[in-house]
Amino acid sequence: MSCVHYRFQSRLTYDSLQFEGLNITVGELKRQIMRRERLKFCQLKISKAQTDEEYTDDDALIPKNTSVIIRRVPAAGLKSSNRRFVGHQAGLSAKSSQTGDSSLLSLEQLLETENLAEAKASEEDKLKAVMYQSSLCYYSSRAAALLRLSASGGAQGFPAASCWRWTTQTERES
């Protein structure tokens, strides 16, 4: 049996792929690697390990006992499944929770809730409550009060940075 030694660019060690004959086509090598590594929704770029020359034709032949480097490339025509968090303006979530379902907890009630995972509220309000609760230990009680006010939408029009500057400045003066 013949074999080709391959490794992904991000890995340190080589794996071996056995096949019949003296050489294997690039397309067949890609199919076997994708099946063996259980890869879906990506394309593979194969290049020689010694010369870094890329195999562009799927019908090109790779001789036995050759070492190759594999690079994963997103498949053409597929949309990215990555979803990014988009920040919202202060006060929008407070308005949405007030106009939403009456059985949902308000943001003010959520800020005091200990188990947010099981709380009956919108995901947006839960995220704001998590951010508020996780930052409480870093601020004084006055700063925490301002943070609560801005999280609930009470301090609309005031950016959070100016609130923190005002708080730290007044604490230094007193």
Side-chain angles (χ1 to χ4, degrees):
M1 290 222 110
S2 304
C3 68
V4 169
H5 306 285
Y6 72 94
R7 77 172 178 91
F8 286 93
Q9 189 175 13
S10 59
R11 292 188 189 166
L12 297 175
T13 60
Y14 281 90
D15 292 318
S16 296
L17 184 73
Q18 295 184 350
F19 61 92
E20 296 286 331
L22 297 175
N23 42 35
I24 186 171
T25 63
V26 172
E28 182 61 27
L29 180 64
K30 286 180 182 180
R31 280 189 289 281
Q32 287 188 18
I33 290 174
M34 289 184 75
R35 187 177 333 120
R36 184 174 184 182
E37 299 288 334
R38 296 183 181 142
L39 299 175
K40 295 181 181 177
F41 309 118
C42 69
Q43 293 177 349
L44 300 178
K45 287 191 175 185
I46 299 177
S47 60
K48 290 182 183 178
Q50 291 81 10
T51 62
D52 207 28
E53 177 186 339
E54 186 174 328
Y55 291 104
T56 55
D57 186 18
D58 280 353
D59 295 327
L61 297 176
I62 300 174
K64 66 179 184 178
N65 298 326
T66 302
S67 298
V68 294
I69 296 178
I70 311 293
R71 291 178 184 84
R72 286 178 226 164
V73 179
L78 290 179
K79 292 183 179 178
S80 174
S81 64
N82 294 339
R83 291 189 170 87
R84 295 188 176 114
F85 175 75
V86 178
H88 299 285
Q89 298 173 356
L92 277 182
S93 65
K95 290 177 187 173
S96 65
S97 64
Q98 291 170 358
T99 59
D101 190 9
S102 62
S103 65
L104 297 179
L105 293 175
S106 68
L107 185 57
E108 291 80 21
Q109 293 169 330
L110 261 177
L111 294 178
E112 301 299 325
T113 305
E114 289 187 20
N115 188 359
L116 292 172
E118 295 177 5
K120 204 170 188 186
S122 68
E123 287 297 315
E124 187 176 321
D125 287 347
K126 285 182 184 180
L127 284 172
K128 282 205 170 227
V130 165
M131 291 169 60
Y132 166 76
Q133 289 178 355
S134 66
S135 63
L136 274 180
C137 63
Y138 298 107
Y139 302 110
S140 66
S141 60
R142 289 179 87 188
L146 283 173
L147 182 64
R148 178 181 298 173
L149 192 67
S150 68
S152 65
Q156 293 177 7
F158 293 104
S162 66
C163 294
W164 299 125
R165 279 192 225 116
W166 176 80
T167 304
T168 55
Q169 196 174 33
T170 54
E171 288 176 354
R172 286 186 205 144
E173 293 171 357
S174 55

